[in-house]
Amino acid sequence: MAYPSRLLNDNETVSVDLHPHWSFLALPVLVITATIAAGIATLFATERGSVLRNVAGWGTLLCIALSAVWLLGRYARWLTTHFVITNRRVIFRTGLFAKRGIEMPLDRVNTVHFHQSLWERVLGSGDLLIESGGESGQQRFTDIRQPDRVQKVIHAEMGAREQRSSAAAGVTDIAGQLEKLEAMLLRGTISAEEFDRQKQRLLGR
């Protein structure tokens, strides 16, 4: 399930859209697998029709049912959790019915750190720690797939945003200077030839 496009702003594009790492589901899968294995072992270890076998069988079925509910709930949470990087912000959103989320504008992000234990490096998961100048301050995001690569994407988007801002500031500065030249021409401070010469210089011709 992709991040809903209706939640994006105009001209906002998604670079990364991640669900948590698959290890997020590992524990309930292990529990239900172990429960099924224990139930099979009980069938072989007890006599047919015995009280112990009946009690163990019903207990095993109950454990399997509870484990299945846990796994389904965990999967629903995995499916509705998104870690998203766009050309404007970092977004974390989770929840099937009750929603909660965090949004961090890229121009307020100060530093991005990642952490992986040895086991997490083997699995390809880890944590991201993002520090921003906004109210959210420091945020830790867990179960991120390939956190080192995600860190690079955030840095790349931050660099691209800075370049766009610089370019826009340059265009604004040129427009302001042209307006001043036009005002000087109207006042007669400079001649039409001088205006054209200065205009060509500002436009880089």
Side-chain angles (χ1 to χ4, degrees):
M1 183 184 296
Y3 187 74
S5 58
R6 59 183 174 80
L7 299 178
L8 299 175
N9 298 322
D10 294 337
N11 301 318
E12 188 173 18
T13 58
V14 174
S15 300
V16 170
D17 181 4
L18 297 176
H19 294 297
H21 190 265
W22 61 262
S23 59
F24 184 79
L25 302 171
L27 185 56
V29 169
L30 288 175
V31 169
I32 195 171
T33 302
T35 303
I36 293 173
I40 294 173
T42 301
L43 290 177
F44 284 102
T46 56
E47 296 181 2
R48 181 178 297 179
S50 66
V51 176
L52 179 60
R53 184 169 186 172
N54 290 335
V55 172
W58 284 109
T60 299
L61 288 176
L62 178 61
C63 291
I64 291 174
L66 293 175
S67 300
V69 171
W70 182 25
L71 177 58
L72 289 174
R74 192 83 165 175
Y75 177 73
R77 183 179 169 190
W78 177 89
L79 194 63
T80 55
T81 297
H82 295 267
F83 182 83
V84 179
I85 302 170
T86 74
N87 58 338
R88 296 184 179 180
R89 52 188 172 150
V90 176
I91 305 169
F92 176 79
R93 185 178 175 90
T94 186
L96 181 60
F97 300 110
K99 301 284 188 180
R100 68 180 182 88
I102 300 170
E103 295 185 6
M104 306 174 73
L106 287 176
D107 53 8
R108 292 187 180 181
V109 173
N110 297 325
T111 57
V112 183
H113 305 281
F114 76 92
H115 177 267
Q116 287 180 295
S117 65
L118 179 60
W119 180 242
E120 286 175 329
R121 289 190 63 185
V122 173
L123 295 178
S125 68
D127 300 342
L128 272 179
L129 182 65
I130 302 179
E131 297 180 1
S132 73
E135 295 181 358
S136 56
Q138 188 180 88
Q139 294 291 334
R140 180 180 294 275
F141 303 96
T142 59
D143 298 308
I144 301 295
R145 286 183 283 171
Q146 303 295 335
D148 53 338
R149 295 183 181 180
V150 175
Q151 180 194 47
K152 291 179 181 178
V153 172
I154 295 176
H155 286 157
E157 289 293 349
M158 290 171 62
R161 185 166 181 80
E162 289 177 359
Q163 290 180 357
R164 290 192 297 268
S165 298
S166 298
V171 170
T172 302
D173 184 58
I174 292 174
Q177 293 186 53
L178 286 174
E179 289 180 358
K180 291 180 181 180
L181 286 175
E182 290 176 355
M184 294 174 67
L185 177 63
L186 292 175
R187 290 197 303 268
T189 307
I190 59 175
S191 64
E193 292 78 8
E194 179 65 17
F195 172 79
D196 290 335
R197 185 164 57 252
Q198 293 294 334
K199 180 180 178 180
Q200 297 301 324
R201 180 183 63 81
L202 288 174
L203 297 178
R205 298 178 181 176

